[in-house]
Amino acid sequence: MTCHPIVRLGLASILALLCTPAAAQKFEQLAHTPQMGWNSWNSFGCNVDEKMIRQMADAMVASGMKAAGYEYLNIDDCWHGTRDADGNIQADPKTFPSGMKALVDYVHARGLKLGIYSDAGNTTCAGRPGSRGHEYQDALTYARWGIDYVKYDWCDTKGIDPASAYTTMRDAIRATGRPMLFSICEWGDNKPWEWAADLGHSWRTTGDIFPCWRCEHSHGSWSSLGVLPILDKQAGLRKYAGPGRWNDMDMMEVGNGMSEEEDRSHFSLWAMLASPLIAGNDLRSMSDATRRILTHPGMIAINQDRLGIQAMKWLDEGDVEVYIKPLDRGGYAVLFLNRDDVPRDYTLDWAFNGMKDDISGRAIDFNKQRFAWRDVWNGGSGSTGTVYTATLPAHGVVVLRLSPQ
Ligand code: GLA
């Protein structure tokens, strides 16, 4: 903001305050632990409407997802209609005839929060109106509707500087005064982990997910990625994550076509790596197996651990990898991943494998410190005083929770 010099002369001290806007900040405390919710894109693409979103809100409560910690119901691309004569964005009157405010009220009445989607360019990835040049106006519209979460995409942004574009929307959200979680969706193209911690609460680290184990699914000019390719792209990123700033591995594909074993591994890896847990399946018709995975209290507790330390790859033995996540009260979660297509027997002699983590400053010498472990999915227990052996299913994981003895 600039002021006329004469005005500045007379009222310098007062106007210094008015004319120099304080540096904007994102809203803190919205994602002290990774956000949990549901998003429409993976299952519904552009087929979103208010009836389905209302049903999903009801299913989120009835299925036990809300009780397990899922909070946000996020409408992805394609809710948009056109802008009115003053440039205000409106919901598509055919698919959202009651309007966004009514939908927000419905969702809030069930103790849930509503998220919305926009894009830093002129158009969204599906060709709906983006927020470019309308950032403050759109943020204000969302705030007036009572929106709680903004996912902000990166299509149609040729020539725009990403950090500036996301700063503008961060500032626009801040200026509304309504705390809205800001989810940056820039696919990791410009290393958002290096510049987005003060802008948003999470940033996508990769392109879009696809429900497969190790495939890449080509869409011509880009491909979507299975569980293992997304996992491998997290290398080197854990130091950027922490309370309020998460590496987002994308909305989950649990219940969307992979095997139960693969779904369990996918969910466990996202939980261990402190990714936001955003379900992407149809909650109205999910199987018991899918529901049990998504609501697993032991895995959710690991993801939502107060310290917010992302797991590190501790041991790499080719097809078997071992991840470790430091937890509150001196505990740890240890995940054994079998990437292979056949089961693998695995033996870990704790005494020969110390752990040192420069990022959290934590270390373990199992000769000096003993832990009790509990198998989070299968329920067994034991101690690090004896060698651990397990048969890891093909494409499967075993997760142990260690507590100091
Ligand atoms: C991009 C995003 C997806 C989804 C679609 C919507 O591909 O990465 O998560 O939001 O756009 O068009």
Side-chain angles (χ1 to χ4, degrees):
M1 187 188 287
T2 51
C3 292
H4 193 283
I6 297 173
V7 180
R8 222 187 291 148
L9 271 181
L11 299 164
S13 54
I14 301 167
L15 288 176
L17 275 175
L18 297 175
C19 300
T20 315
Q25 290 177 330
K26 71 180 187 187
F27 284 100
E28 298 295 344
Q29 299 308 325
L30 292 182
H32 182 83
T33 57
Q35 65 264 31
M36 294 175 66
W38 174 89
N39 174 293
S40 56
W41 185 253
N42 288 354
S43 285
F44 297 93
C46 251
N47 297 316
V48 286
D49 60 62
E50 62 178 40
K51 186 164 162 241
M52 181 270 280
I53 299 291
R54 282 203 209 110
Q55 290 172 349
M56 216 57 74
D58 293 343
M60 189 112 132
V61 177
S63 62
M65 292 278 287
K66 180 188 174 214
Y70 294 85
E71 184 180 18
Y72 293 100
L73 210 57
N74 296 341
I75 314 172
D76 207 276
D77 210 342
C78 301
W79 60 267
H80 324 66
T82 52
R83 294 190 181 276
D84 70 12
D86 297 323
N88 297 308
I89 189 69
Q90 308 169 99
D92 186 327
K94 289 193 287 300
T95 45
F96 293 84
S98 318
M100 262 325 153
K101 177 77 178 73
L103 189 55
V104 165
D105 291 346
Y106 187 93
V107 168
H108 284 174
R110 277 141 194 84
L112 300 169
K113 296 181 170 169
L114 195 74
I116 214 159
Y117 162 100
S118 190
D119 187 287
N122 289 318
T123 54
T124 70
C125 296
R128 302 301 176 104
S131 289
R132 189 172 185 191
H134 291 274
E135 293 88 351
Y136 279 76
Q137 194 176 17
D138 286 356
L140 201 55
T141 301
Y142 305 155
R144 286 186 177 140
W145 286 339
I147 294 292
D148 305 291
Y149 186 119
V150 179
K151 171 178 169 181
Y152 206 51
D153 214 342
W154 191 238
C155 275
D156 196 13
T157 51
K158 203 156 177 268
I160 308 180
D161 172 60
S164 314
Y166 283 97
T167 302
T168 304
M169 197 54 170
R170 186 275 314 263
D171 292 354
I173 289 172
R174 182 77 202 193
T176 70
R178 179 175 177 83
M180 293 185 265
L181 191 152
F182 191 32
S183 157
I184 292 177
C185 178
E186 174 273 0
W187 320 313
D189 285 3
N190 299 279
K191 302 190 175 161
W193 41 88
E194 289 181 354
W195 46 261
D198 293 334
L199 305 183
H201 301 89
S202 62
W203 47 82
R204 281 272 297 278
T205 54
T206 69
D208 290 2
I209 193 169
F210 195 79
C212 61
W213 185 242
R214 66 161 66 79
C215 78
E216 293 203 9
H217 181 81
S218 171
H219 301 266
S221 58
W222 61 285
S223 11
S224 42
L225 309 172
V227 168
L228 292 186
I230 289 186
L231 174 67
D232 293 342
K233 283 181 184 288
Q234 310 309 309
L237 300 188
R238 72 183 285 261
K239 67 176 176 206
Y240 299 102
R245 48 191 167 91
W246 308 108
N247 289 311
D248 179 356
M249 296 165 74
D250 203 359
M251 291 97 63
M252 295 184 287
E253 294 281 19
V254 175
N256 285 347
M258 286 188 288
S259 72
E260 190 177 334
E261 200 66 59
E262 291 168 338
D263 273 354
R264 198 178 0 258
S265 301
H266 167 28
F267 184 70
S268 304
L269 287 162
W270 267 232
M272 288 285 290
L273 272 75
S275 174
L277 296 180
I278 307 290
N281 58 314
D282 188 341
L283 305 178
R284 300 169 303 182
S285 55
M286 67 181 153
S287 67
D288 272 355
T290 296
R291 189 183 46 74
R292 273 198 301 272
I293 292 172
L294 286 172
T295 59
H296 194 282
M299 284 316 307
I300 290 175
I302 288 168
N303 176 260
Q304 296 289 302
D305 183 76
R306 202 177 63 82
L307 299 185
I309 302 170
Q310 181 173 325
M312 72 169 187
K313 197 193 281 186
W314 176 26
L315 306 167
D316 189 339
E317 322 228 10
D319 278 325
V320 174
E321 294 171 352
V322 186
Y323 290 79
I324 189 160
K325 183 181 199 290
L327 301 175
D328 200 12
R329 297 167 190 262
Y332 292 88
V334 176
L335 177 148
F336 302 85
L337 166 67
N338 178 9
R339 303 167 67 106
D340 205 353
D341 302 337
V342 292
R344 288 287 194 110
D345 291 328
Y346 189 74
T347 300
L348 175 63
D349 190 340
W350 307 94
F352 285 104
N353 290 282
M355 193 283 307
K356 187 166 179 299
D357 175 16
D358 293 337
I359 287 164
S360 68
R362 301 253 300 250
I364 317 174
D365 177 348
F366 287 103
N367 295 300
K368 298 208 175 108
Q369 200 185 358
R370 189 173 283 195
F371 294 81
W373 59 255
R374 193 170 45 78
D375 184 325
V376 176
W377 287 106
N378 307 310
S381 60
S383 153
T384 57
T386 50
V387 172
Y388 177 74
T389 56
T391 301
L392 308 174
H395 299 187
V397 297
V398 170
V399 182
L400 304 182
R401 184 166 179 137
L402 273 54
S403 315
Q405 272 186 328

